Amino acid sequence: MGKCDIRVQNLILATGQPTPLPSGGPANFNFQIANYTNIDSDGFNVTVKRDGEIGESGIFYVSKVPAMTVINYPLEINGVIGGTHEIEIEALYDDLDLSNNKVTGTFIWAGIPNLQTIITNIVPSTVELCQDVRINFRVNNFSYDNVEGTTNIKVLVNNQLTNLGWRKENFKARTYIEQSFTANFMEPGVYKISIVADSLTAVESNENDNTAEARITVKDATRLNNDNPTKPILINQGDVHWYYAQFKEDGKANFYVKPLKESLDVNIEIHKESVRGELIGKSSKGAGQADLIEKKSVQAGVKYYIGISCNSGSGCYSLKCKNYTLDQILSYDEIESYVNSNNLTSIQRDALHRINTYANNEKIKQAICNNQPIIFFFEGAGLNTNTKYNKENGRSEYSIDRYGAISLIIKNNKIIFFTDQASTLPDKPKGTKYDIPTLLDGVYSIAEFLHKSTYPAFNIKNAKVIRYGATEWYNSTSNGINIHVGYNTYKYPNYPAKDGDGSWSNSEGCQLLSMRENVKSDAASSNCLCYDPNGTVCGIYNKFSKSIGLVDSNIFSSTNGSVINKKMNSVSGIVVVDREYLDVNNITLQSLYGKDGLEYVRSGVN
């Protein structure tokens, strides 16, 4: 067989190919192989070179080219970077004219970046408030071109740009960047994290891939229940624990953290509304020392975030918060529950609700904030308000004597003591030997002392009183108004006999708690109230003095009333005397005070 004249010719872009060609491909071409002799060719190889090198298209085999025939061939080339490149196609055939068995062409590829961002890992994806979360990501340059100039990597949270970012100069083709960062979140919620890679100098071939997104769930801090300390909580050096408190009422609040190990040093700080909100208090006492932030104004419904940080050591701590309402001393539910469980009368129920009218009194507010007890006396709401009184000596005409008031103690917004056997009125307000004081309605401070140097009691400071002179009532003060146990004609018929006639049964103006604990109705005496002979002697006062913290054990013997304990504790508190329910039209009371005197016992002589 003779030699053929094989020619490679007409290398052109395929129909529809853009110019310039996209870097990386695919780029499609057409070319021809022709046989200009009268004999068929044998089979042969064809090479495809890019810039003188055999490229990805490599070498392919042509079985034969028939005589006097032109065959069209397609060609696809991939992976070409941006720039001007020479494509050469050569038939490896020993023919008549080797100068015609190859064709070359010069074509332009555009350098277009193709960036892809992937978030590879988030540890953890659900976190506590302010807990660190680690985010790892990768940016790939999938194109066959270097990204000339600057590639900018940005971090967005909920579509808002953050100050986190990276810049990569001359991002090389077919390489990647790996980065990681730590974030923490100061508000609870679900956060969308977006990481975006942008070429600042070129339009990308596929911008949909250059953003990666993930979501992180941030749980709110642990809520503290008001006046309910936490169980021991372990903390290590460098740790920060967050809690929040949310109160039902406006008022004041105390926050208290106590390390349960002497070597443990913890701090406490309080922020309003968020962990980076207004700082309303901070305390750091040192290792083994409890920290207290007290008397801070708080608003109902607002979250107060409490941060506990560990300076040194490792161990457990306990945390507590306490809210003191400004417009309520007792909650409605507390009052109604107490009324129902103790079967109180309607007037006693009204008296308990009246307590909250004192909520904005400055002394009351201060006592609540300082966790001090508050004593209330409501004259006219007691056990025997309808008892008849003897005009001459002020005694009840029955053996129970006159106990027309209720008395109760409130601490930590709870009723801790109640009796319906109390009195705020002296037996003979118009005493014959000297001008007997009657304490006016009001709010007073109290201090502990030994009554008659005999047993623990309370003195009312700066007492405002009225007294009856020879012919009229007048305003005065007294430093001798006390709170102590009352006596009665049943046990002490001649106490205190200050007038020399042995007629007084109870008081020279002090606030009294009945001597006997139990009282019952005596049907044989026209349903009047009489002492139960089996009642505990001084039981009411023993309960009162222990409830308020004046003593740790009974002052009086429950059998004979003798003093068995004089050891008293220091107690600061408040007493409120209120005669809203006193019946000023009661004829027998008017016989003791006169009508004008009953009008003065509340606010004094005008």
Side-chain angles (χ1 to χ4, degrees):
M1 181 180 291
K3 286 189 176 183
C4 295
D5 184 9
I6 299 297
R7 301 180 185 183
V8 181
Q9 60 192 26
N10 298 330
L11 174 61
I12 61 174
L13 287 173
T15 302
Q17 283 294 289
T19 54
L21 294 165
S23 66
N28 293 302
F29 303 86
N30 291 319
F31 68 94
Q32 296 173 334
I33 297 178
N35 182 356
Y36 286 102
T37 57
N38 292 322
I39 58 175
D40 294 344
S41 73
D42 295 327
F44 55 90
N45 290 323
V46 177
T47 62
V48 179
K49 296 180 180 180
R50 184 183 71 213
D51 298 328
E53 302 289 337
I54 295 177
E56 293 180 2
S57 299
I59 301 174
F60 63 92
Y61 181 74
V62 175
S63 60
K64 73 174 182 177
V65 179
M68 301 304 293
T69 301
V70 177
I71 301 175
N72 293 312
Y73 288 90
L75 174 66
E76 180 178 294
I77 298 176
N78 290 286
V80 182
I81 66 174
T84 301
H85 300 279
E86 182 184 75
I87 303 301
E88 178 187 279
I89 304 171
E90 181 179 7
L92 302 178
Y93 190 82
D94 185 13
D95 61 5
L96 293 172
D97 187 355
L98 294 177
S99 64
N100 294 322
N101 66 349
K102 67 180 177 181
V103 67
T104 62
T106 301
F107 303 91
I108 300 173
W109 273 261
I112 301 177
N114 180 13
L115 303 180
Q116 182 191 60
T117 304
I118 303 171
I119 294 177
T120 56
N121 196 18
I122 294 179
V123 183
S125 59
T126 299
V127 296
E128 304 289 341
L129 199 67
C130 296
Q131 180 185 350
D132 284 348
V133 56
R134 190 75 176 173
I135 301 171
N136 304 302
F137 68 92
R138 174 188 287 183
V139 179
N140 297 302
N141 181 3
F142 279 144
S143 73
Y144 287 84
D145 296 289
N146 298 337
V147 179
E148 304 295 338
T150 302
T151 298
N152 194 28
I153 303 171
K154 301 172 291 185
V155 178
L156 295 85
V157 177
N158 292 340
N159 300 321
Q160 298 295 314
L161 187 64
T162 71
N163 59 1
L164 285 175
W166 296 264
R167 297 171 73 89
K168 175 68 175 177
E169 301 297 332
N170 300 321
F171 194 173
K172 290 184 178 182
R174 313 298 285 180
T175 63
Y176 59 85
I177 304 166
E178 283 188 326
Q179 290 286 355
S180 64
F181 61 92
T182 300
N184 59 57
F185 301 88
M186 297 184 178
E187 300 284 351
V190 178
Y191 291 85
K192 182 178 75 172
I193 308 300
S194 305
I195 302 174
V196 182
D198 277 329
S199 169
L200 301 183
T201 56
V203 177
E204 297 172 42
S205 61
N206 187 358
E207 292 192 347
N208 291 329
D209 286 342
N210 68 354
T211 298
E213 293 183 350
R215 280 169 170 76
I216 297 173
T217 300
V218 180
K219 297 188 294 184
D220 204 353
T222 302
R223 181 168 183 172
L224 288 181
N225 294 320
N226 185 41
D227 202 22
N228 187 14
T230 64
K231 294 180 180 179
I233 300 168
L234 178 65
I235 192 169
N236 298 309
Q237 184 173 349
D239 289 350
V240 179
H241 295 173
W242 285 98
Y243 306 83
Y244 78 87
Q246 195 170 22
F247 305 110
K248 294 182 179 180
E249 306 289 345
D250 291 350
K252 298 283 187 180
N254 292 347
F255 304 87
Y256 177 78
V257 61
K258 180 181 180 181
L260 304 180
K261 190 175 181 181
E262 289 186 1
S263 60
L264 182 62
D265 182 5
V266 292
N267 301 340
I268 182 172
E269 58 185 82
I270 314 297
H271 294 264
K272 184 178 180 180
E273 296 181 332
S274 74
V275 298
R276 57 185 173 185
E278 175 190 355
L279 178 66
I280 66 170
K282 188 174 183 178
S283 179
S284 177
K285 294 290 183 63
Q289 300 297 310
D291 287 285
L292 173 65
I293 298 174
E294 60 181 338
K295 304 176 187 176
K296 295 298 179 181
S297 296
V298 294
Q299 296 171 284
V302 174
K303 287 184 177 181
Y304 292 87
Y305 283 85
I306 305 149
I308 306 299
S309 56
C310 181
N311 287 334
S312 63
S314 177
C316 292
Y317 65 88
S318 179
L319 177 65
K320 180 180 178 181
C321 65
K322 171 67 178 178
N323 177 223
Y324 305 94
T325 58
L326 298 184
D327 58 353
Q328 273 191 338
I329 300 172
L330 292 175
S331 70
Y332 179 88
D333 291 342
E334 171 74 12
I335 294 171
E336 291 300 311
S337 174
Y338 196 89
V339 168
N340 294 331
S341 61
N342 291 277
N343 197 28
L344 301 191
T345 66
S346 60
I347 195 170
Q348 289 167 354
R349 176 183 181 273
D350 290 345
L352 264 59
H353 280 286
R354 181 171 169 76
I355 287 171
N356 285 329
T357 64
Y358 290 90
N360 289 316
N361 179 279
E362 289 301 322
K363 287 185 177 180
I364 296 288
K365 290 193 291 186
Q366 190 68 26
I368 291 174
C369 289
N370 290 334
N371 203 26
Q372 294 174 345
I374 306 170
I375 307 168
F376 280 88
F377 284 91
F378 287 101
E379 187 68 53
L383 180 69
N384 59 333
T385 54
N386 294 319
T387 299
K388 294 180 179 180
Y389 306 124
N390 185 289
K391 180 177 180 179
E392 297 300 325
N393 59 29
R395 294 179 185 172
S396 160
E397 292 188 355
Y398 312 117
S399 59
I400 185 165
D401 304 304
R402 186 177 65 257
Y403 290 101
I406 62 172
S407 179
L408 61 148
I409 302 171
I410 296 172
K411 191 173 183 180
N412 291 331
N413 304 97
K414 302 287 185 182
I415 299 172
I416 62 172
F417 169 84
F418 178 92
T419 180
D420 56 5
Q421 302 175 55
S423 177
T424 68
L425 300 174
D427 300 316
K428 295 185 67 177
K430 295 182 177 181
T432 57
K433 196 168 185 179
Y434 67 94
D435 298 351
I436 298 297
T438 297
L439 182 65
L440 297 178
D441 285 21
V443 180
Y444 302 95
S445 299
I446 57 174
E448 73 282 352
F449 84 120
L450 283 177
H451 182 56
K452 297 184 180 298
S453 301
T454 304
Y455 65 88
F458 286 107
N459 175 251
I460 297 177
K461 297 180 179 180
N462 302 315
K464 295 181 180 180
V465 302
I466 57 170
R467 300 176 189 268
Y468 190 77
T471 59
E472 62 182 359
W473 294 95
Y474 63 94
N475 296 324
S476 182
T477 59
S478 175
N479 59 8
I481 303 294
N482 307 313
I483 302 172
H484 59 74
V485 69
Y487 297 91
N488 55 83
T489 55
Y490 173 81
K491 184 71 175 177
Y492 294 100
N494 295 319
Y495 177 84
K498 285 291 182 70
D499 258 355
D501 59 4
S503 61
W504 292 1
S505 61
N506 277 297
S507 164
E508 296 175 323
C510 293
Q511 314 301 288
L512 304 178
L513 301 169
S514 177
M515 182 178 183
R516 279 194 178 268
E517 183 168 8
N518 299 320
V519 175
K520 68 178 183 179
S521 174
D522 186 353
S525 302
S526 302
N527 292 323
C528 70
L529 296 169
C530 301
Y531 282 109
D532 179 356
N534 298 318
T536 301
V537 177
C538 298
I540 292 175
Y541 192 77
N542 280 338
K543 287 182 179 179
F544 166 84
S545 56
K546 287 188 294 184
S547 297
I548 203 169
L550 180 62
V551 292
D552 298 324
S553 59
N554 285 346
I555 295 173
F556 295 101
S557 166
S558 60
T559 55
N560 59 23
S562 62
V563 176
I564 57 176
N565 177 27
K566 290 186 177 183
K567 184 178 180 180
M568 60 184 174
N569 302 317
S570 177
V571 178
S572 295
I574 297 294
V575 63
V576 179
V577 176
D578 187 311
R579 299 190 182 91
E580 171 71 16
Y581 306 102
L582 180 67
D583 183 8
V584 296
N585 295 314
N586 184 293
I587 295 176
T588 53
L589 276 178
Q590 287 185 4
S591 71
L592 296 177
Y593 277 88
K595 186 174 182 180
D596 56 346
L598 287 179
E599 292 176 352
Y600 297 149
V601 296
R602 299 206 62 192
S603 56
V605 179
N606 298 327

